[in-house]
Amino acid sequence: AAGIPVKERVKVSQNWRHGRCRRETVLKWKCKQVASLSSSFLMPWMELDGDYLYLSQAENIQAYHLCAEGTGLQRHPQAIFSGHQEDVCRFVLVNSHIVSGGGDGSIVLHKIHGSYSVKFSAHEQEVNCVDFQGGLIVSGSRDRTAKVWSLSAGRVGQCLHTVQTEDRVWSIAISPLLSSFVTGTACCGHTSPLRIWDLESSQLLTCLGTDFHRGAGVLDVFYETPSLLLSCGYDTYIRYWDIRTSTRKCVQEWEEPHDSALYCIRSDKNHMIASGSSYYGVVRLWDKRQTRCLQSFHLSSPTSSPVYCLRFSTTHLYAALASALHVLDFTAS
């Protein structure tokens, strides 16, 4: 919010709270097939970085320049990062590097400014999720393993640890302290879908929660701080964990009111949470101080698409659906 006048900040804040915004579909692309989590087809992922939005479309990641005024972005990508033989499942952007996992079982590392890129074979099946911090990559796969990879000089792409998760890994994140990582799994082969592992030894440190129903897979995880963690998934709940107080029970939870699976989640690391649902492109805004949803936006109709990924800045929210990128502009009067 730096550089935005106080009066404008108050107006934007009120707009978020009351759901006042201008909606625009800024990009469209062709659907290859009905997207589902049983395949990696056209499940776009994105990251925001300053004036750029990075969006995966099929096997490429494209960088779009955001327009200074209004909701838009330049229609033609400024850069395209390629290397996968099949669709990109997920990617992260950290310290001017893009690390992506693909349906081809490989991980690709790109340096944003320059031609440097590295590709290595990582898993026997698709790499559903990746994270990258402190010179290490963690990856999770449909092959029921999570792996830790080195990026240090002379050891790039060397597997340091393999964790047998007994379940497909849908989501993964490294703790901000760089000491552990969390895996969100399908909750079919193992009773706990959320587990925290030591980054150095790959030993299991703790399981989060108890009494999960079979199939209550965790599709997205997000660290706010080293001890505060958000999760969401198939069982329609957003859960807020404080691992200082309890690993058995979350400190807060919010239920998706229409009983839809939740594909993605983000917070402003303060009071606001945004979630993306599995039906009709529903994006919901939540206030941690309230039990009920603050606002909801239906972005796809009449055809139904999940919200595969969402990101937001102080003034805009971006939501990637099966065939389009939607933007909500909260600077509108």
Side-chain angles (χ1 to χ4, degrees):
I4 301 176
V6 173
K7 188 177 176 184
E8 182 70 12
R9 281 207 301 266
V10 171
K11 185 186 89 172
V12 169
S13 172
Q14 290 298 312
N15 286 348
W16 279 97
R17 177 164 290 281
H18 297 293
R20 288 193 294 260
C21 61
R22 187 166 63 245
R23 307 182 191 193
E24 190 179 340
T25 304
V26 290
L27 284 176
K28 289 185 178 180
W29 52 86
K30 285 197 174 89
C31 250
K32 278 197 265 187
Q33 66 174 55
V34 177
S36 75
L37 275 176
S38 62
S39 75
S40 61
F41 282 112
L42 287 179
M43 300 198 311
W45 199 252
M46 66 179 157
E47 294 287 355
L48 279 178
D49 185 44
D51 296 330
Y52 286 88
L53 182 143
Y54 294 80
L55 177 74
S56 66
Q57 291 173 272
E59 64 272 14
N60 296 324
I61 297 166
Q62 304 185 349
Y64 293 91
H65 192 262
L66 299 173
C67 297
E69 297 295 325
T71 60
L73 45 80
Q74 291 179 0
R75 300 292 164 135
H76 297 288
Q78 298 256 322
I80 298 175
F81 302 92
S82 55
H84 288 285
Q85 302 304 116
E86 293 183 36
D87 290 6
V88 173
C89 295
R90 290 205 182 175
F91 69 93
V92 289
L93 195 158
V94 181
N95 298 333
S96 298
H97 290 82
I98 293 174
V99 175
S100 57
D104 55 4
S106 66
I107 290 173
V108 178
L109 167 73
H110 292 284
K111 204 164 186 178
I112 290 174
H113 309 292
S115 56
Y116 175 81
S117 69
V118 174
K119 177 181 180 178
F120 55 91
S121 181
H123 288 270
E124 292 173 14
Q125 292 178 277
E126 59 251 46
V127 182
N128 289 325
C129 50
V130 290
D131 198 9
F132 165 50
Q133 300 281 347
L136 294 173
I137 294 173
V138 292
S139 61
S141 170
R142 188 188 178 97
D143 69 8
R144 303 183 177 195
T145 65
K147 296 186 179 184
V148 181
W149 306 89
S150 173
L151 277 186
S152 58
R155 301 177 74 190
V156 174
Q158 181 180 334
C159 183
L160 302 178
H161 301 288
T162 299
V163 173
Q164 302 295 333
T165 59
E166 304 168 53
D167 246 332
R168 295 179 187 182
V169 187
W170 286 130
S171 53
I172 203 162
I174 297 174
S175 159
L177 286 181
L178 309 183
S179 57
S180 61
F181 65 97
V182 63
T183 54
T185 57
C187 201
C188 292
H190 192 281
T191 54
S192 178
L194 269 175
R195 282 170 280 171
I196 296 177
W197 312 84
D198 185 89
L199 198 53
E200 200 171 318
S201 68
S202 80
Q203 295 299 306
L204 179 64
L205 296 176
T206 189
C207 299
L208 296 182
T210 57
D211 303 324
F212 286 96
H213 295 297
R214 180 178 166 81
V218 173
L219 299 178
D220 203 7
V221 287
F222 179 71
Y223 271 106
E224 287 194 334
T225 71
S227 52
L228 294 173
L229 176 71
L230 283 158
S231 67
C232 70
Y234 279 123
D235 71 351
T236 77
Y237 280 92
I238 298 167
R239 290 189 172 87
Y240 196 39
W241 305 90
D242 186 341
I243 51 184
R244 295 167 303 188
T245 59
S246 173
T247 56
R248 291 180 60 79
K249 195 165 171 34
C250 62
V251 288
Q252 277 178 281
E253 63 182 23
W254 299 268
E255 186 176 10
E256 212 287 331
H258 291 157
D259 207 33
S260 298
L262 294 171
Y263 274 37
C264 55
I265 193 169
R266 264 301 182 268
S267 89
D268 63 356
K269 300 187 178 181
N270 192 14
H271 296 304
M272 197 185 87
I273 300 170
S275 65
S277 301
S278 57
Y279 294 114
Y280 296 105
V282 174
V283 170
R284 297 193 194 279
L285 303 181
W286 309 79
D287 187 322
K288 290 178 191 167
R289 297 162 295 187
Q290 299 179 22
T291 54
R292 296 178 63 184
C293 159
L294 195 63
Q295 294 295 335
S296 60
F297 307 92
H298 296 248
L299 301 180
S300 84
S301 181
T303 55
S304 177
S305 166
V307 179
Y308 288 113
C309 186
L310 54 77
R311 294 290 182 267
F312 57 84
S313 63
T314 311
T315 53
H316 294 77
L317 186 146
Y318 302 85
L321 278 62
S323 60
L325 176 69
H326 300 264
V327 183
L328 306 179
D329 176 7
F330 290 91
T331 62
S333 302

